[in-house]
Amino acid sequence: MAGGTIDGFQVHGQDIPWLLRHWAEHRPEHPALVWEPAEGTGRIWTYAELLRDTERLAAGLTGRGIGRGAKVLIHSENCPEMVLAWLACATVGAVAVTTNTRATPAEIAYFVERAGCVAAVTQPHLAAPLARSGAALEWVAVIDGTAPDTFAFADLYGDAATWTGRPIEPMLPFGIMFTSGTTSRPKAVVHTHANAIWASRSGPRGIDLGPDDRYLIHLPFFHVNAQSWSFFSVLGVGATAVLTPKWSTSRFWDVVTRHGITHMSLMPFCFGVLAAPNRPESALRVGVFGQVAPALDTMLGLRVYAAFGMTETVTHAITGKPAEHLPARSMGRPAPGYACAVVDPETGRECAEGEVGELWLRGQRGVQLFLEYHGDPQATEAAFVGDWFRTGDMVLLGAGGNVFYRERDKDLLKVGGENVSAREVEDVVGAIPGVASVAVVGKQHDFLSEVVVAFVIRAANAPDEDTLEKDILAACRERLSDYKVPRAVYFVDAFPLGTLDKVLKKSLRELADARPPL
């Protein structure tokens, strides 16, 4: 038998439209998507209604020239129209490019150019930075509002009866998300329909999500957590997704109790409200977090399921359930469908138990792992060694196959859940007159985990420190999303250096942490 046929068997005849039709047939009246806005009236879509409105938009997109392979920018905060547009793009065979709403016009221009977007869906308050980006788009649809040279999102709807469908192509790309790594610019991660099917099948099993459960989606829908970990897990079992605009401490328990929320993704900023002594009785029982943490079970009043993944792994690649009684602070063990290795990044030697090395993961490209970095074959090639994907995360292989997180690559920062490339910030700061050299690191932060700080060596002809700091911050605010902008600029005479004169960023992080909190 041909290897390709065998490899593709598990996703044969399945894609996102097929998944929507499946539940519209088998659970037509079951709630699929619940919209819980901060203000105004919410709405519920059953599976039958979700399919109908998705196909109405598919018909409208086709009427406006969007077909197989076309790239559509979806630059929006959480709202049902964003989800519907995303599903409609997948239905017609187009690619939805979901982007961070905190992006600057320069970053938006990069996203549009790198992905090759031809049209956009956005919101009124985001239409202005989109226009200032100068992106060449054929049309822009605006949700719940107006903006110059655009039309209303409502005008995108067509007649669902005119949508005749298309052949099922599991390996067809359906989405692009931009993720920062150690390179200077974010990379465009391509997900296929087979990736979505894999997430819908693997995700719910990893977190014990059933058909009558309800997953609260409070994280940004332009991220893989909301899309794959949460929404596709819901679609995999015909459950219910409850979508909110963003995290709200004041409204959290009201939403949880009214909607019977059972599952949610945990971030450190959630802990305070969950651990409150006056928390009400609720159906909430599962929190998905990055490591095994039995102490959190009691503190937060739910069961913490460990899950590690990244945009490139589509869904949870390493998992741990409370019932498995895995070691505290471990990430868990490789999920079914993924092979795991811990490798010395310098030599390629597989590390022994107890040694720290880089986490490598193996799966089928386009199914368990992303397909490629769009428009960047060099970055795609560099990310793989044969079939193995290099995550850039440093881990330790413990007894019983448990994986323990140790450290990410020194040039990848994590700011409140957002990836930040140190090199990207350094490229901006290093171009400013008066800066001789710059090194960017993360400084510990109580709420955001870490924030960006810049160590700068001034040039001989540089202005005074106050003026140069203002110039640095102004340039960063203009060219970088706000979470990438340094919270502090520390001027130094020299950087700590190691062998081959490499900057010791570990030492710089220690120096940053010794400074007053930000």
Side-chain angles (χ1 to χ4, degrees):
M1 290 185 287
T5 302
I6 297 171
D7 290 342
F9 179 76
Q10 62 180 317
V11 292
H12 174 75
Q14 302 158 74
D15 63 2
I16 294 171
W18 169 86
L19 194 57
L20 292 174
R21 291 194 302 271
H22 176 82
W23 292 117
E25 176 184 352
H26 293 283
R27 308 197 85 191
E29 301 306 317
H30 189 76
L33 176 65
V34 177
W35 170 233
E36 179 58 49
E39 299 177 349
T41 305
R43 184 179 167 186
I44 298 174
W45 279 260
T46 65
Y47 274 100
E49 291 168 337
L50 185 65
L51 177 65
R52 180 202 65 199
D53 282 0
T54 296
E55 292 188 341
R56 286 177 61 206
L57 279 174
L61 288 172
T62 302
R64 291 187 180 268
I66 302 300
R68 185 183 183 279
K71 313 297 192 304
V72 178
L73 179 76
I74 302 182
H75 191 62
S76 171
E77 294 173 349
N78 289 8
C79 63
E81 292 85 357
M82 178 187 190
V83 178
L84 289 165
W86 178 69
L87 292 172
C89 285
T91 298
V92 302
V95 180
V97 182
T98 51
T99 49
N100 196 315
T101 55
R102 296 160 74 178
T104 64
E107 290 171 320
I108 295 171
Y110 169 76
F111 296 152
V112 170
E113 181 180 2
R114 169 61 72 183
C117 298
V118 298
V121 173
T122 191
Q123 294 171 303
H125 66 289
L126 298 172
L130 175 59
R132 290 199 301 273
S133 75
L137 298 165
E138 295 175 10
W139 54 259
V140 177
V142 177
I143 300 165
D144 288 337
T146 59
D149 301 317
T150 67
F151 62 87
F153 180 83
D155 294 340
L156 264 183
Y157 285 101
D159 182 359
T162 65
W163 172 247
T164 57
R166 61 172 180 82
I168 293 176
E169 299 176 80
M171 298 303 289
L172 182 69
F174 91 88
I176 288 177
M177 283 176 275
F178 283 86
T179 183
S180 292
T182 57
T183 55
S184 60
R185 303 300 294 270
K187 298 187 287 291
V189 179
V190 178
H191 283 182
T192 69
H193 285 258
N195 284 142
I197 294 299
W198 173 256
S200 76
R201 188 176 303 149
S202 175
R205 288 168 171 79
I207 57 174
D208 290 337
L209 183 79
D212 295 320
D213 286 328
R214 293 185 161 217
Y215 203 123
L216 175 65
I217 301 179
H218 62 87
L219 295 174
F221 204 83
F222 53 73
H223 274 183
V224 70
N225 187 298
Q227 291 185 18
S228 287
W229 294 36
S230 307
F231 194 77
F232 281 137
S233 289
V234 165
L235 286 189
V237 291
T240 303
V242 178
L243 180 71
T244 63
K246 59 183 178 180
W247 170 259
S248 171
T249 298
S250 62
R251 299 181 64 244
F252 174 77
W253 282 118
D254 174 58
V255 173
V256 166
T257 54
R258 277 194 299 109
H259 292 289
I261 300 298
T262 59
H263 288 64
M264 66 177 293
S265 296
L266 292 178
M267 298 291 285
F269 57 71
C270 305
F271 293 172
V273 66
L274 282 164
N278 59 343
R279 62 188 178 210
E281 291 292 325
S282 74
L284 183 61
R285 69 176 192 274
V286 172
V288 184
F289 190 52
Q291 65 178 21
V292 176
L296 287 179
D297 290 20
T298 302
M299 185 178 86
L300 305 182
L302 43 70
R303 287 177 288 174
V304 174
Y305 281 57
F308 166 85
M310 50 203 306
T311 310
E312 288 89 341
T313 69
V314 185
T315 188
H316 329 126
I318 297 177
T319 60
K321 300 182 181 183
E324 294 173 324
H325 299 288
L326 302 181
R329 296 192 180 90
S330 79
M331 299 157 63
R333 293 180 295 209
Y338 296 92
C340 169
V342 180
V343 179
D344 184 317
E346 300 296 329
T347 66
R349 175 185 60 84
E350 189 169 355
C351 295
E353 183 178 307
E355 285 188 292
V356 174
E358 184 182 14
L359 175 65
W360 290 13
L361 294 168
R362 186 176 65 192
Q364 184 182 348
R365 294 252 302 269
V367 182
Q368 289 89 2
L369 298 174
F370 75 115
L371 183 66
E372 63 183 355
Y373 294 121
H374 179 74
D376 198 342
Q378 292 82 11
T380 304
E381 182 179 359
F384 287 89
V385 176
D387 295 332
W388 291 92
F389 170 63
R390 303 184 58 174
T391 69
D393 286 303
M394 303 300 287
V395 301
L396 179 147
L397 179 62
N402 290 287
V403 182
F404 292 82
Y405 184 81
R406 284 297 176 261
E407 186 181 17
R408 69 178 57 89
D409 188 290
K410 64 182 182 299
D411 284 326
L412 180 62
L413 284 58
K414 201 79 167 180
V415 179
E418 301 277 7
N419 286 342
V420 177
S421 163
R423 277 193 55 191
E424 183 180 9
V425 183
E426 288 167 352
D427 286 348
V428 173
V429 177
I432 297 168
V435 174
S437 189
V438 58
V440 167
V441 297
K443 174 178 169 61
Q444 292 182 19
H445 190 273
D446 289 342
F447 186 72
L448 298 173
S449 180
E450 64 181 351
V451 293
V452 179
V453 297
F455 284 87
V456 171
I457 298 174
R458 296 164 62 221
N461 59 347
D464 62 83
E465 290 184 358
D466 287 344
T467 300
L468 184 55
E469 180 177 12
K470 290 178 182 177
D471 291 345
I472 289 170
L473 296 180
C476 288
R477 291 187 185 111
E478 179 182 353
R479 296 181 56 186
L480 300 170
S481 301
D482 55 2
Y483 61 90
K484 301 177 184 177
V485 175
R487 292 292 190 95
V489 177
Y490 302 133
F491 291 100
V492 294
D493 295 327
F495 297 141
L497 301 177
T499 57
L500 301 179
D501 288 339
K502 287 186 177 181
V503 176
L504 296 178
K505 289 202 168 182
K506 182 176 184 295
S507 297
L508 288 179
R509 289 196 295 271
E510 292 171 351
L511 289 173
D513 290 338
R515 303 280 184 120
L518 298 174

